[in-house]
C-alpha cells in the first residue's frame, strides 16, 4: 500500500470535504487519522464527511465517548490502535467498582494505572530519583499492571503490543448505541 497524500489538519485552510474527495479521486482505500487532541474536532469532521466511503484507521485519541456520541453510525467499522485491551479483566472490574458504571474506562486509565504501579515498584526498591531511574532501566524490572506485567525495552519504551478495536453498534430493544469492541 502506498501513501497517496498527506493532509495537515492544523493548516488554517484545511478542508475535510476537499481532502476526502481528493483522496478518493487519487484512488485511496484507507484514511489514517493520526491526530492529537488539539485537532480532534477537525478529525471528527473528516470522519463525518467521509461517510464510510473509505476505511478508517485511527490512533487512541479517537477512543472517546465523543466519537461514539457525535458520529455513532458514521464511525462504525473504524479501527483504532490502542495501547491496552479493555476486555473485562480484574482491572476493569476494580475500576468499575471504584468509579461506577458511568465513568468509561479507557486505555489511558490502564496506562495511568500501569505507570503508577511501575513507579511504586521502583520506589519500594530504591526511593530516590536516581534509584527509581536505575531500577526502571534494569532488564529484569517488572511491575504488575492492568493487563499483566509492565516491562521496558532497553530503549526505555514499554514492552507490549498494540490492540485493535472497532466501533460497533449495540442494540438494546429499539435503541442502538455505539461502543468500542476489541477485534479478534
Amino acid at each position: 500500500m502506498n501513501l497517496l497524500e498527506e493532509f495537515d489538519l492544523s493548516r488554517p485552510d484545511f478542508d475535510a470535504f476537499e481532502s476526502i474527495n481528493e483522496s478518493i479521486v487519487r484512488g485511496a482505500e484507507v484514511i489514517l487519522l493520526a491526530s492529537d487532541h488539539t485537532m480532534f474536532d477537525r478529525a471528527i469532521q473528516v470522519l463525518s464527511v467521509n461517510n464510510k466511503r473509505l476505511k478508517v484507521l485511527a490512533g487512541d485519541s479517537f477512543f472517546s465517548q465523543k466519537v461514539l456520541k457525535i458520529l455513532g453510525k458514521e464511525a462504525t467499522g473504524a479501527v483504532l490502535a490502542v495501547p491496552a485491551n479493555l476486555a473485562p479483566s480484574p482491572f476493569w472490574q476494580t475500576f468499575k467498582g471504584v468509579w461506577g458504571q458511568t465513568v468509561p474506562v479507557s486505555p489511558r486509565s490502564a496506562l495511568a494505572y500501569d505507570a503508577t504501579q511501575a513507579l511504586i515498584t521502583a520506589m519500594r526498591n530504591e526511593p530516590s530519583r536516581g534509584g527509581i531511574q536505575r531500577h526502571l532501566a534494569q532488564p529484569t524490572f517488572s511491575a504488575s499492571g492492568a493487563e499483566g506485567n509492565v516491562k521496558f525495552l532497553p530503549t526505555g519504551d514499554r514492552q507490549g503490543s498494540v490492540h485493535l478495536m472497532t466501533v460497533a453498534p449495540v442494540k438494546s430493544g429499539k435503541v442502538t448505541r455505539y461502543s468500542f469492541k476489541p477485534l479478534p
Side-chain angles (χ1 to χ4, degrees):
M1 187 176 292
N2 296 324
L3 176 64
L4 298 177
E5 188 71 42
E6 183 175 328
F7 297 100
D8 184 352
L9 298 176
S10 67
R11 288 180 51 127
D13 63 342
F14 174 77
D15 184 320
F17 184 78
E18 289 299 319
S19 299
I20 290 294
N21 286 339
E22 184 177 329
S23 298
I24 290 170
V25 167
R26 289 175 161 244
E29 297 174 23
V30 177
I31 302 169
L32 170 62
L33 289 170
S35 66
D36 64 11
H37 70 282
T38 63
M39 292 294 117
F40 186 75
D41 289 339
R42 287 196 175 183
I44 289 223
Q45 288 175 356
V46 171
L47 278 174
S48 181
V49 300
N50 178 47
N51 199 24
K52 297 176 79 171
R53 294 178 289 171
L54 300 173
K55 293 177 184 172
V56 176
L57 301 174
D60 68 328
S61 65
F62 282 87
F63 193 94
S64 161
Q65 293 301 307
K66 194 172 181 182
V67 168
L68 300 176
K69 289 178 182 174
I70 293 173
L71 295 173
K73 186 176 183 179
E74 294 170 312
T76 301
V79 175
L80 289 73
V82 297
N85 180 2
L86 298 174
S89 66
F91 169 76
W92 186 83
Q93 295 299 330
T94 301
F95 183 95
K96 291 295 182 184
V98 172
W99 297 103
Q101 298 295 320
T102 59
V103 177
V105 65
S106 77
R108 288 186 184 95
S109 304
L111 289 178
Y113 177 82
D114 289 354
T116 303
Q117 292 305 311
L119 186 58
I120 289 169
T121 300
M123 286 177 70
R124 281 187 184 134
N125 292 293
E126 296 189 57
S128 68
R129 185 178 188 165
I132 292 168
Q133 185 178 12
R134 277 189 302 279
H135 194 71
L136 289 172
Q138 291 176 358
T140 58
F141 175 81
S142 180
S144 180
E147 291 186 83
N149 290 330
V150 177
K151 297 179 180 184
F152 298 100
L153 299 169
T155 60
D157 294 324
R158 180 163 179 188
Q159 184 178 340
S161 59
V162 172
H163 302 277
L164 299 179
M165 306 210 47
T166 190
V167 176
V170 177
K171 295 188 183 216
S172 176
K174 293 182 180 182
V175 177
T176 300
R177 292 199 166 96
Y178 296 88
S179 181
F180 296 104
K181 300 288 181 190
L183 286 174

